[in-house]
């Protein structure tokens, strides 16, 4: 990653050197030479800076086709009046910095965006505030860019007529950092995008997913917060995804989950916190994933395994006060559980080595029954269910008998000292 | 009847067991609230306790009171008092004193905790209402059993069996039938089966009000749709009321015909 950036920097530098060094600054304001941004952009030479002063500019379809720096001073507002797309970048080396973009047009045939980047390289979009939008930042076949510190506040009500906050389509090597996305359809959406680095973002109150991967490989997302989204984070049909130190919180509803994994292979999920989700992680057809040092707190189901999941490893996780720790829908098990802490564990530790002497069985009989016949969930918290769960714990008949944690910890794992 | 009700009520209010029952709830409420610090969780735990313990105590207490006060009852029968008013008076005396222990015992710690300023007030009042209903229902059933059985041991046996059936066995049969008929649509069936058992009905009513209802998924949505409407609420209240009324009628009729 670093290497690529340094190459990009060198390239950028050499390009700068080739150009005439007299980069001008064109000012835009009510009483300046240029009163609209479009005029200034059209008049500018490549590598000029267009400095937009404070004010409101009713403009849309601002096309940038040459390397430019578009700089907003004191947050000028660009009002698209719901007429269509607002800024379209079709050139390498463009920077958009410090604008407030409002009122993007909604269309059922075209994906209008507040800021769109098409087939370009080395772009930077930062410190922008987008409101009342359809699509926010739409990156299309564009690589080596940075999307940093933007604030996107949508007003989405229905999934069918709302767009995504930050969308990446066929992109490579993009950094998405420090953004806040609220109340759109998908907070951040990746399709066919590889080597994307998503860090320190907040994705809150979105209609569908906080973060959504489709067919995107070798990406990583770390230190993000996903809260109160329709259904948390969905990672589908992708490989080598690194998911670290994220917080998945309050994705609560009958069809909600913190993290959905579908057809994901060879990934690592570590240091994450799953708190108060209906389902912490929903796993389907995902193989060779390591789950290390995660906290599962107060979820309905901490982990729901739906089948075709092999060679996954759960180690050093804390399972705290979930209604169900693990749910399985078959008697077959090829996943390993070792050295986790389970708050429901009732065993003892006679030799005081911190590891319970009796293995823990994380799958309750009731969760097995519910998987078979979903209607039986209505007996949740009935005395009878407690009794059969207890008897199954003593002598397992229905649940996979090799599904157990041989070394359950007696105390919650402190991740920072134990890694 | 009111005089006898009053007598039974005061008699029980003075008895040690009422205080024990009252203190138990008081302690439970205090421990749950001040060790847990989470109102919603406290309500869930209380629900677990209420749907198991309240029926049990209602049945045992009802049977016990009837057999204990038998001599006094026979004395009363010699007086020119209507038979039905003697037994109904006793029944309401027991049921009301039990309900009061429950409501005051649980209510006090919650009031001190500040339930009135909290959004959980409705969940909590629902909890108390269903608890009261369960007390009324199971005390009435206990009186019916006691009236039908002269033999104390038999009476106690049947009472325990009744509780066991409602709280445990019924759910077992329910679960088995759900699993056995899993190929068929089961929404209506599970709705009806839940409505028929007051313990299950109370449990589901409370569960649906809490956050935890999201776990119920699709089935929960069906239930929510039913109990969320006015019809569902009226129907469940009517069912609970019927569970009180029918055994009370039985007490009334049995008391008239019984030969002492």
């Amino acid at each position: 990653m670093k290497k690529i950036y340094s190459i990009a920097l060198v390239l950028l530098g050499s390009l700068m050197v080739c150009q005439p060094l007299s980069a001008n600054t064109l000012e835009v304001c009510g009483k300046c030479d240029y009163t609209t941004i479009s005029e200034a952009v059209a008049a500018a030479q490549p590598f000029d800076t267009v400095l937009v002063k404070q004010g409101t500019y009713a403009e849309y379809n601002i096309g940038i086709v040459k390397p430019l720096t578009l700089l907003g001073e004191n947050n000028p507002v660009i009002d698209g009046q719901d007429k269509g797309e607002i800024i379209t970048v079709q050139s390498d080396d463009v920077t958009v910095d410090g604008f407030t973009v409002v009122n993007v047009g909604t269309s059922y045939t075209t994906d209008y965006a507040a800021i769109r980047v098409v087939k370009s390289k080395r772009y930077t979009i930062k410190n922008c505030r987008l409101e009342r939008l359809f699509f926010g930042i739409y990156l299309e076949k564009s690589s080596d860019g940075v999307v940093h510190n933007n604030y996107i506040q949508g007003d989405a009500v229905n999934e069918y007529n709302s767009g995504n906050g930050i969308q990446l389509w066929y992109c490579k090597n993009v950094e998405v950092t420090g953004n806040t996305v609220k109340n759109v359809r998908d907070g951040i959406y990746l399709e066919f995008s590889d080597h994307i680095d998503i860090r320190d973002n907040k994705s809150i109150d979105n209609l569908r997913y906080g973060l959504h991967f489709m067919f995107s490989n070798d990406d990583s997302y770390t230190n993000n917060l996903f809260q109160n989204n329709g259904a948390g984070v969905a990672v589908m049909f992708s490989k080598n995804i690194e998911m670290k130190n994220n917080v998945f919180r309050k994705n609560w509803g009958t069809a909600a989950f913190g993290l959905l994994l579908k057809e994901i292979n060879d990934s690592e999920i570590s240091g994450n916190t799953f708190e108060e989700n209906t389902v912490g992680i929903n796993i389907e057809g995902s193989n060779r994933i390591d789950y290390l040092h995660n906290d599962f707190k107060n979820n309905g189901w901490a982990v729901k395994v739906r089948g075709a999941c092999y060679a996954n490893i759960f180690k050093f996780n804390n399972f705290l006060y979930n209604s169900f720790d693990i749910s399985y829908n078959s008697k077959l098990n090829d996943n390993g559980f070792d050295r986790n802490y389970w708050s429901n564990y009732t065993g003892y530790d006679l030799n005081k080595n911190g590891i319970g002497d009796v293995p823990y069985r994380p799958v309750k009989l009731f969760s097995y029954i519910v998987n078979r016949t979903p209607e039986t969930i209505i007996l949740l918290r009935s005395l009878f269910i407690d009794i059969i769960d207890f008897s199954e714990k003593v002598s397992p008949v229905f649940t996979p008998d090799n599904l157990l944690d041989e070394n359950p910890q007696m105390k919650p794992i402190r991740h920072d000292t134990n890694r | 009847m009111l005089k006898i009700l009053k007598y039974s009520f005061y008699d029980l209010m003075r008895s040690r067991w009422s205080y024990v029952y009252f203190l138990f709830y008081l302690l439970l409420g205090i421990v749950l609230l001040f060790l847990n610090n989470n109102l919603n969780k406290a309500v869930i735990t209380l629900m677990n306790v209420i749907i198991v313990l309240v029926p049990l105590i209602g049945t045992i207490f009802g049977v016990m009171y009837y057999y204990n006060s038998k001599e006094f009852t026979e004395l009363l029968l010699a007086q020119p008092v209507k038979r039905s008013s003697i037994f109904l008076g006793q029944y309401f005396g027991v049921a009301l004193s039990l309900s009061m222990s429950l409501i005051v015992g649980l209510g006090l710690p919650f009031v001190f905790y500040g339930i009135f300023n909290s959004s959980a007030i409705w969940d909590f009042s629902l909890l108390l209402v269903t608890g009261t209903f369960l007390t009324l229902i199971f005390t009435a059933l206990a009186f019916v059993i006691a009236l039908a059985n002269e033999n104390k041991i038999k009476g106690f046996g049947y009472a325990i069996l009744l509780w066991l059936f409602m709280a445990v066995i019924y759910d077992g049969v329910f679960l088995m039938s759900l699993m056995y008929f899993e190929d068929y649509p089961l929404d209506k069936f599970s709705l009806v089966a839940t409505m028929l058992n007051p313990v299950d009905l109370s449990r589901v009513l409370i569960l649906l009000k809490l956050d935890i209802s999201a776990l119920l998924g699709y089935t929960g949505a069906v239930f929510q749709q039913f109990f969320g409407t006015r019809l569902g609420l009226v129907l469940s209240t009517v069912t609970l009321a019927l569970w009180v009324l029918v055994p009370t009628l039985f007490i009334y009729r049995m008391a008239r015909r019984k030969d002492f």
Side-chain angles (χ1 to χ4, degrees):
Chain A
M1 214 55 184
K2 244 182 184 162
K3 207 172 174 187
I4 295 162
Y5 280 117
S6 52
I7 291 172
L9 266 175
V10 169
L11 273 174
L12 197 76
S14 57
L15 272 168
M16 295 286 257
V17 172
C18 295
Q19 295 294 325
L21 284 168
S22 57
N24 294 313
T25 299
L26 290 75
E27 293 192 349
V28 182
C29 65
K31 290 170 192 158
C32 304
D33 295 346
Y34 304 100
T35 49
T36 67
I37 301 166
S38 306
E39 277 173 30
V41 165
Q45 295 296 311
F47 297 100
D48 280 355
T49 298
V50 174
L51 182 70
V52 183
K53 298 274 176 75
Q54 197 171 16
T56 302
Y57 302 86
E59 289 182 64
Y60 63 102
N61 281 342
I62 303 171
I64 302 176
V65 291
K66 57 195 130 192
L68 274 186
T69 300
L70 203 59
L71 199 63
E73 202 178 78
N74 296 332
N75 273 315
V77 178
I78 308 178
D79 186 347
Q81 304 152 297
D82 293 323
K83 284 186 177 155
E85 194 145 292
I86 297 180
I87 299 176
T88 312
V89 176
Q90 283 174 298
S91 160
D92 296 349
D93 304 300
V94 172
T95 300
V96 179
D97 184 353
F99 287 90
T100 299
V101 184
V102 297
N103 296 331
V104 181
T106 300
S107 158
Y108 294 92
T109 49
T110 318
D111 291 344
Y112 290 134
I115 300 169
R116 178 189 295 268
V117 182
V118 186
K119 292 183 188 161
S120 309
K121 285 195 165 66
R122 299 177 302 277
Y123 49 87
T124 305
I125 299 167
K126 60 180 179 186
N127 306 327
C128 287
R129 191 183 171 93
L130 316 181
E131 281 172 29
R132 296 189 291 282
L133 48 98
F134 186 42
F135 278 79
I137 298 170
Y138 198 128
L139 311 176
E140 196 180 317
K141 297 193 174 176
S142 301
S143 312
D144 309 313
V146 176
V147 178
H148 176 63
N149 204 15
N150 300 291
Y151 183 92
I152 302 176
Q153 168 83 57
D155 47 7
V157 179
N158 297 310
E159 270 183 27
Y160 63 86
N161 63 0
S162 52
N164 304 326
I166 300 173
Q167 171 146 347
L168 289 83
W169 191 65
Y170 281 108
C171 294
K172 278 199 174 62
N173 302 326
V174 181
E175 262 189 74
V176 181
T177 56
N179 302 288
T180 302
V181 188
K182 283 184 181 172
N183 202 15
V184 290
R185 186 174 61 190
D186 285 353
I188 302 170
Y189 180 72
L190 280 75
E191 200 169 343
F192 307 108
S193 294
D194 302 342
H195 300 286
I196 309 292
D197 185 11
I198 302 170
R199 261 183 294 124
D200 306 315
N201 300 290
K202 287 184 183 139
S203 193
I204 300 169
D205 297 330
N206 296 301
L207 281 193
R208 199 166 63 181
Y209 303 122
L211 171 65
H212 190 179
F213 284 84
M214 290 297 260
F215 316 106
S216 300
N217 305 323
D218 306 301
D219 302 319
S220 78
Y221 64 96
T222 46
N223 291 328
N224 301 291
L225 168 71
F226 305 101
Q227 184 169 306
N228 204 15
N229 298 300
V233 173
V235 185
M236 304 192 198
F237 309 101
S238 304
K239 277 187 301 195
N240 299 327
I241 310 284
E242 208 177 80
M243 317 174 209
K244 281 188 181 165
N245 303 333
N246 301 291
V247 178
F248 304 77
R249 194 187 285 157
K250 289 192 175 160
N251 298 293
W252 192 265
T254 49
F257 41 73
L259 173 59
L260 170 83
L261 301 177
K262 188 169 168 58
E263 311 287 334
I264 305 301
N265 295 326
D266 306 297
S267 298
E268 189 185 325
I269 299 176
S270 65
N272 300 292
T273 303
F274 298 86
E275 211 173 345
E276 293 177 46
N277 305 291
T278 320
V279 180
I281 309 185
N282 194 0
I283 315 170
E284 209 172 327
S286 298
N287 309 316
R288 298 180 299 283
I289 298 178
D290 294 343
Y291 301 81
L292 312 169
H293 292 288
N294 299 295
D295 281 340
F296 298 88
K297 277 186 220 159
N298 297 322
N299 301 290
W301 281 267
V303 179
K304 211 170 188 173
V305 182
R306 293 316 262 278
C309 297
Y310 303 103
N312 298 299
I313 292 168
F314 293 82
K315 255 188 186 177
F316 306 115
N317 300 293
N318 286 324
F319 290 86
L320 306 165
Y321 323 112
N322 305 295
S323 293
F324 300 98
D325 286 333
I326 311 280
S327 130
Y328 254 69
N329 63 354
S330 71
K331 282 189 78 169
L332 204 68
N333 172 39
D334 189 49
N335 304 312
F337 296 87
D338 197 23
R339 289 167 190 273
N340 300 293
Y341 172 77
W342 314 85
S343 61
N344 289 340
Y345 181 61
T346 49
Y348 46 82
D349 178 22
L350 286 184
N351 54 5
K352 302 280 178 208
N353 62 350
I355 295 169
D357 297 347
V358 193
Y360 178 70
R361 300 184 172 281
V363 179
K364 286 184 191 168
L365 175 59
F366 185 46
S367 81
Y368 170 80
I369 292 173
V370 167
N371 254 319
R372 234 190 83 178
T373 321
E375 284 86 354
T376 52
I377 188 75
I378 205 64
L379 292 170
L380 183 75
R381 289 185 181 265
S382 147
L383 183 59
F384 179 74
I385 296 301
D386 293 345
I387 294 172
I388 60 166
D389 271 346
F390 178 73
S391 63
E392 175 78 8
K393 203 161 98 182
V394 176
S395 60
V397 184
F398 297 101
T399 49
D401 52 353
N402 66 341
L403 203 168
L404 42 82
D405 190 334
E406 291 278 5
N407 302 303
Q409 303 290 313
M410 292 307 287
K411 282 186 180 154
I413 293 156
R414 286 161 64 193
H415 300 307
D416 36 344
T417 55
N418 218 331
R419 218 174 283 244
Chain B
M1 183 173 112
L2 273 177
K3 222 166 211 169
I4 293 164
L5 190 158
K6 224 160 102 186
Y7 175 78
S8 288
F9 186 75
Y10 283 123
D11 178 33
L12 274 164
M13 279 285 104
R14 261 178 281 134
S15 92
R16 203 183 316 146
W17 288 111
S18 278
Y19 285 115
V20 170
Y21 191 54
F22 164 74
L23 282 177
F24 167 75
Y25 277 120
L26 195 70
L27 211 70
L28 185 77
I30 289 172
V31 165
L32 275 180
L33 277 176
F34 294 95
L35 290 187
N36 206 341
N37 265 324
N38 183 338
L39 213 60
N40 252 318
K41 279 218 178 101
V43 171
I44 292 184
T45 315
L46 270 184
M47 179 202 79
N48 276 348
V49 173
I50 281 188
I51 59 171
V52 174
L53 268 191
V54 163
L56 180 66
I57 289 175
T59 9
I60 301 284
F61 226 81
V63 174
M64 216 163 67
Y65 186 83
Y66 176 85
Y67 286 132
N68 261 350
S69 60
K70 205 165 176 196
E71 280 170 13
F72 174 66
T73 313
E74 276 168 11
L75 182 79
L76 273 181
L77 283 170
Q79 312 297 321
V81 192
K82 253 170 74 185
R83 267 188 161 201
S84 58
S85 54
I86 296 175
F87 291 99
L88 284 180
Q90 283 183 347
Y91 158 60
F92 282 116
V94 175
L96 286 183
S97 75
L98 284 179
S99 311
M100 217 176 89
S101 297
L102 173 80
I103 292 172
V104 178
L106 281 184
L108 275 182
F110 275 81
V111 168
F112 287 129
Y113 188 78
I115 187 88
F116 291 119
N117 305 323
S118 156
S119 56
I121 176 104
W122 292 110
D123 304 342
F124 184 68
S125 24
L126 183 70
L127 199 73
L128 289 186
V129 168
T130 47
T132 311
F133 260 120
L134 285 177
T135 310
L136 288 175
I137 291 167
F138 279 87
T139 318
L141 288 172
F143 262 79
V144 171
I145 287 173
L147 273 167
N149 292 287
E150 275 303 296
N151 189 336
K152 266 188 195 180
I153 306 294
K154 254 188 170 172
F156 266 106
Y158 284 132
I160 297 280
L161 198 69
L162 170 85
W163 172 79
L164 207 61
F165 178 79
M166 288 298 201
V168 182
I169 301 171
Y170 185 89
D171 285 351
V173 176
F174 187 11
L175 181 69
M176 294 298 269
S177 47
L178 280 177
M179 291 183 71
Y180 192 76
F181 296 109
E182 64 182 353
D183 297 337
Y184 299 88
L186 291 169
D187 306 338
K188 289 247 169 66
F189 169 73
S190 47
L191 257 179
V192 171
T194 312
M195 289 285 274
L196 287 181
N197 184 345
V199 178
D200 275 349
L201 183 59
S202 318
R203 183 172 51 80
V204 168
L205 274 179
I206 298 168
L207 273 188
L208 286 177
K209 283 271 174 282
L210 302 175
D211 273 355
I212 201 169
S213 62
L215 294 191
L216 302 179
Y218 168 74
T219 319
V222 172
F223 273 71
Q224 194 88 60
Q225 209 176 28
F226 179 73
F227 288 111
T229 59
R230 191 166 295 167
L231 176 78
L233 205 67
V234 168
L235 258 182
S236 42
T237 320
V238 167
T239 319
L240 284 176
L242 270 182
W243 268 102
V244 181
L245 273 181
V246 172
T248 316
L249 270 180
F250 265 93
I251 296 176
Y252 180 76
R253 277 188 44 187
M254 282 165 100
R256 264 204 324 207
R257 292 191 190 160
K258 193 171 160 73
D259 188 23
F260 282 90

